[in-house]
Amino acid sequence: DNDNDNDNDNDKMTLISSMLVTAQKHLSDAGATREAAASSLASLLSRPDLEQAELEDFVMFSNDVLKGYLRGDVGTGNVKDVSVFLVMGVIQTLATIFKTGSRSNLMERHLRCVEMLWEQAILVAEKAQPQQSSDGFGSSDSSGGGSSGGVLVLRKLLVKLFARVGCSYLPPKIASWRYQRGRRSLLENLENTSNENETGNADGGKSGNGNGTDNAAGLRDRSQDDSDLFDVPDQVEDSMAQLIQALTDPATTVRWSAAKGIGRVSERLPAICADDILDAILELCNDEENDNAWHGACLSLAELARRGLLLPKRLGEVIPIAIRAIQYDIPRGQHSVGSHVRDAACYTCWAFARAYAPNVLKPYVPELSKAIVVASLFDREINCRRAASASFQECVGRQGADNFKHGIAILTAADYFSLGNKTDAYTTVARQIAQFLEYREAIISHLYEEKLFHWDPEIRDLSSVSLRGLATMEPAHFAKTVLPCLVGYAMHENLFVRHGAVIGVAEIVLALGGDNEEGIENTGSGISEELIASISDLVFAIEKARLYRGRGGEIMRAAVSRLIECMALAQVPMNVKQQIGLLDSLDANLKHPNEIIQVAASSALYSLMRSYFPVRESGPSERLQSRVVDKYVESVRGDENPAATRGYSLALGYLPAKLLAPTVEGLDAVIDCLCVSSHPSTLIGGQGDAETRRNSIKSLVRICQVVGVGISADANPTYPTVAMDGSQVMRVFKALFDAVEDYNTDRRGDVGSWSRIEAMKGMEALTYLVIKASNIPHTMSCGPEENENTKDVPCVPSIARRLRYLEADVSTRVRSCLSESKPFRQFSYSSTQTYFDDELVSKVLSSILKQLSEKLDAVRGQAGSCLERMLSEKTSIIVPFVPSKALLLEALRLNDIPLQHNWSNPAVTFPLMMKAINIEAFFESILAGMIISVGGLTESITKSSSKALMDYMRALHKIKAVGKIAKIGHGLIKLFDKHTKDGRVILPLLVTVDKLLSHGLLDAILVSPTNDFSKDLSLRVRREASRCNDIKRLMAIVPVALSILHCEVAETQNTTLLFLMRLLAHKFPRVRRHTAEQLYIKLVEDESVVPNATNIEAGNDLLSQASWDRELGPPGNVRAYRNQVANFLGIELSEKDLSGPVMKKVVKVKDDFESYASLVSTAGR
């Protein structure tokens, strides 16, 4: 019966009623259907034929929903379940009705309904406000239900409802008192009479095109006089109060909606009411800590300006607020807030430029333009810099270049792209704009008063560098104003302030005195002697105040090191005591564990030792030599503290030549020390230290550059220095070759790659040095007639030049080579100044090519860059003696493509390397690197390298190049011999061999009875498995051993089968199980690998059914199963293999004190 009644009700329900019911049901949905239902319901209820009949019912329903939401319990009437989604649906429907419905019908016929919901909507808005946290700031938006408050979407919909209801209570006309700049239509401007004022005035007048929301009534009423005041309903005041409160909402979308609502309501109010609204908005900016209020105020000011509701007479109050907002940045903890405020302030200035005539904004342009330019240059956020640039562009375009001086030039320098790089904005662009006097003072003041004390250390560093560039423009101002101010701040209690002050002083001192050889006191900048004395004592004052301790001590150490460096470069006058004190400070920083501090101290040490501590003609004094060089060398050799060895090994490379190379013995001691500390096997405190090894490599290369090879690089006549001789050069090269084989690892990964990268850089730099020092004819030019047109023509030096390299009697060297069994080298010269030969260049390029073939992207990238520069024909130094240079250039495609390769991309690099592997001189190095990549763990590396190697081997197999395949096999065997028991190489080598064997790419030498490859490989595999405890390596050996069974040498087959049977009885259960599985698969695929088998099926059954991971002896009896398998397969086992190794019986000596009870009883006696 009930079902029949429901069917009858549905039959009686009209289409409209069904649509209303369906839409009302979906108002509580959580997804987009709720928005569609609200829009549909609002459209239906706004129809004239449904408005009278259905709107009041929906209002009653909405009233029940809001009441239920406020109570937090089950509603009454038609409301069965009140959720926050249902409330949002109801509010959205009401807001849409007030947007699309007829205002006259709503306010005349349904005023009672509107007033009924008004109080409930205000209460819901109060409940939906976000909860305040304990620190006084609004918490983040909550996504929970209505009981928790802070529902973002609900607050946004309520703001829309308040704005539209407020507009409904006001006359539908645009205020005639608003400011209008003039007609915006070109046609109307052309037809306008000559007596019309194009710039507009603050008192109103005839308007141009109105707002798009104006209706016909509003256009007719626009000319009404401002004296026609009317009483504003209380509901409008309530709605405006809610909108102003929403300007402080934590959600940006809510604040933006509130700002637009304030603009729409204000343009229908009398001028006096709009002034009150503006006062309320400006009051929001009284709270400096409330960033949300500042953001909402900026958005609302922009809306008022765009609509002409912000009269010119109030600009004197508003412009200073906008300028403060452009620089708004409030520190909170380890960061700051305010980027959204600055962005909105730039939008506000953009709106001012569009809204007002040039003569209106002209009084405020000087300060406004400076603020915008400073923000575009120095704001921390890229979006704010670009927003400020867009605002300045709008100002120049709308207000004219007469108001904004040098506007076009500034826009050209500070465009969208140049401001995207923060470093360029601070250094390059700021220096260009500071050339204009109107902005120079503002830029300098902002840097040393604001940005130099910013919370972000990167901003402080960039500000100091920017000040260094600007100091040369105004040296007197910096010397008399900026520098004394920063020196006073250097002891400030705030870490940000004192750090910024110290680095600011350092960079300004460098700018004022760095280019003057006579020192900072003779620059003519007007810097006083008292200020110079204060700067000289600044480091000691900081140390006396113990500012290195506690939070921020590390950045202060780095800043002080930079200050010492800049003072040394500027040659600030100091006495001997001060010089020694600064050296002590740097020594303390060198031992600090922070790498940034060590690098800064090392760089400062170089400048300090060059500018001070003079050296006599006889060389440095014994006291100075022991105080610096000997101390550092002894610390690197014997100190157990890794931080000390890192710092001092780095510092040795930053010493000047006058201390490093006064004698050959002194230089030998430094080089030997660094060669030892850079070796991969060197231990510091019983453990390896990657940073010490890397720093030692860096220092070795720097020493070569500072001291020079053959001829001293420091040609100072006041003190003698020696240059590096051939023996020392060879020792450095040997250290680099050892470092490029550094594959040490720790918990951070492959830390040896740091040394390998530095070693490759060092090889490149040292190669250039020795080529310059060597007297090699291949580096000679033909003379001034050589040009680009003749670069491909063979260059033949003159007879006189060639005679210098011809030996008078070559027979003596021939007899010597034959007696000592040495090769007669093609390139050998009688000159004693040759440090570079074909053997050395081959070794250097082989080392780099090996790294170019390996698995780390960073290492490959560095190796490729070094190789490109060394092989390039466009450099000033051409590397001679390159083996098969034309083939190498063609293989690596260095001549075809002018752009650099992305050597870090494995898909690009590995195919090129497999082309270069055909060069005999580099074959072994490239193969060794490729093996590491093919057998690695990284999928992208393994995939690309395997494809390149397989394609190369398939090509050899296709053309039946047995000789080259045999060469590959011989190379693999040599790698087994070279890296015996080295898991780093053996494991990827086994994986690579397995891939090649499983694809049949080595069958040409594996099955050949005349080739010993299978025998040699079997021997190496068995040797690697002996006493091996690495399960991964053992499991990788199994498939290789199974592939060897395909060879046709019976002896090799028998020894390999016996080896597999021993693996079936291995001590590790995983190895036994893996061997059984792989052997079973192999026997199923090919039974011919076991030629002497008696019962393969029984053997397979036993391999698949036995529990190989159980005990070898009873009760598992795995060894007995293995013996049966060997019997079935016809493999003879020795007595030792059948019974297993004899276990030594361990006699345990009883310990009377092994129990806790014995200890207690003994202690109680």
Side-chain angles (χ1 to χ4, degrees), residues 634-655:
E634 290 301 323
S635 179
V636 174
R637 283 176 175 172
D639 204 318
E640 298 293 323
N641 180 13
T645 59
R646 296 170 189 172
Y648 288 137
S649 61
L650 185 63
L652 284 173
Y654 282 87
L655 292 177

Side-chain angles (χ1 to χ4, degrees), residues 142 678 696 808 815 862 996 1132:
S142 172
S678 66
S696 299
R815 284 195 298 269
Q862 184 60 51
L996 294 175
E1132 295 183 4

Side-chain angles (χ1 to χ4, degrees), residues 510-698:
L510 177 60
L512 295 180
D515 296 333
N516 192 349
E517 297 181 356
E518 299 180 359
I520 191 173
E521 56 185 350
N522 299 318
T523 57
S525 59
I527 186 170
S528 62
E529 295 183 359
E530 294 79 6
L531 184 58
I532 293 177
S534 300
I535 295 173
S536 302
D537 293 331
L538 188 57
V539 175
F540 308 108
I542 291 173
E543 293 178 348
K544 186 176 180 180
R546 299 182 177 182
L547 297 181
Y548 292 158
R549 298 186 177 183
R551 175 176 170 268
E554 293 185 350
I555 62 174
M556 285 302 299
R557 284 183 180 273
V560 168
S561 298
R562 177 59 179 168
L563 176 61
I564 296 174
E565 180 182 7
C566 293
M567 287 194 300
L569 292 173
Q571 298 183 8
V572 175
M574 285 183 285
N575 54 42
V576 177
K577 183 179 179 181
Q578 289 175 324
Q579 296 174 19
I580 296 176
L582 295 181
L583 181 59
D584 292 337
S585 298
L586 293 180
D587 284 351
N589 290 342
L590 286 172
K591 296 186 292 185
H592 197 277
N594 190 309
E595 184 178 343
I596 297 176
I597 297 175
Q598 291 177 348
V599 173
S602 300
S603 180
L605 179 67
Y606 179 76
S607 302
L608 182 68
M609 301 309 296
R610 283 185 64 90
S611 299
Y612 306 106
F613 300 99
V615 174
R616 300 186 299 271
E617 293 183 3
S618 59
S621 64
E622 184 178 352
R623 180 182 177 184
L624 178 60
Q625 191 75 9
S626 62
R627 170 64 182 79
V628 182
V629 181
D630 295 346
K631 175 184 176 181
Y632 294 171
V633 169
E634 290 301 323
S635 179
V636 174
R637 283 176 175 172
D639 204 318
E640 298 293 323
N641 180 13
T645 59
R646 296 170 189 172
Y648 288 137
S649 61
L650 185 63
L652 284 173
Y654 282 87
L655 292 177
K658 64 183 181 182
L659 295 179
L660 286 171
T663 61
V664 175
E665 293 76 11
L667 183 59
D668 269 338
V670 175
I671 292 176
D672 290 341
C673 169
L674 292 175
C675 288
V676 172
S677 61
S678 66
H679 197 273
S681 61
T682 301
L683 301 180
I684 306 296
Q687 295 181 344
D689 188 66
E691 287 85 351
T692 299
R693 299 194 299 270
R694 179 199 60 196
N695 292 349
S696 299
I697 295 298
K698 286 183 178 180

Side-chain angles (χ1 to χ4, degrees), residues 3-14:
D3 294 340
N4 294 333
D5 293 339
N6 292 334
D7 292 339
N8 294 333
D9 293 339
N10 291 334
D11 294 338
K12 296 178 181 178
M13 184 177 296
T14 62

Side-chain angles (χ1 to χ4, degrees), residues 411-594:
L411 290 176
T412 303
D415 60 9
Y416 181 89
F417 298 101
S418 62
L419 295 177
N421 190 311
K422 187 170 19 181
T423 302
D424 288 346
Y426 270 81
T427 55
T428 306
V429 183
R431 188 176 175 85
Q432 294 175 0
I433 297 179
Q435 296 175 357
F436 306 119
L437 296 177
E438 291 84 356
Y439 303 98
R440 182 182 299 173
E441 183 180 355
I443 290 174
I444 295 174
S445 299
H446 183 76
L447 282 174
Y448 85 88
E449 292 176 358
E450 299 291 338
K451 284 296 183 285
L452 199 57
F453 310 137
H454 197 268
W455 62 270
D456 188 354
E458 183 185 5
I459 297 298
R460 298 199 294 269
D461 290 336
L462 289 175
S463 301
S464 64
V465 174
S466 183
L467 285 172
R468 182 183 68 195
L470 299 174
T472 55
M473 296 182 177
E474 295 284 348
H477 175 68
F478 274 84
K480 296 179 180 178
T481 304
V482 180
L483 204 52
C485 176
L486 295 181
V487 171
Y489 281 135
M491 306 298 293
H492 199 276
E493 60 181 6
N494 190 321
L495 171 63
F496 302 155
V497 176
R498 66 172 178 265
H499 176 256
V502 170
I503 59 177
V505 169
E507 300 297 340
I508 294 173
V509 166
L510 177 60
L512 295 180
D515 296 333
N516 192 349
E517 297 181 356
E518 299 180 359
I520 191 173
E521 56 185 350
N522 299 318
T523 57
S525 59
I527 186 170
S528 62
E529 295 183 359
E530 294 79 6
L531 184 58
I532 293 177
S534 300
I535 295 173
S536 302
D537 293 331
L538 188 57
V539 175
F540 308 108
I542 291 173
E543 293 178 348
K544 186 176 180 180
R546 299 182 177 182
L547 297 181
Y548 292 158
R549 298 186 177 183
R551 175 176 170 268
E554 293 185 350
I555 62 174
M556 285 302 299
R557 284 183 180 273
V560 168
S561 298
R562 177 59 179 168
L563 176 61
I564 296 174
E565 180 182 7
C566 293
M567 287 194 300
L569 292 173
Q571 298 183 8
V572 175
M574 285 183 285
N575 54 42
V576 177
K577 183 179 179 181
Q578 289 175 324
Q579 296 174 19
I580 296 176
L582 295 181
L583 181 59
D584 292 337
S585 298
L586 293 180
D587 284 351
N589 290 342
L590 286 172
K591 296 186 292 185
H592 197 277
N594 190 309

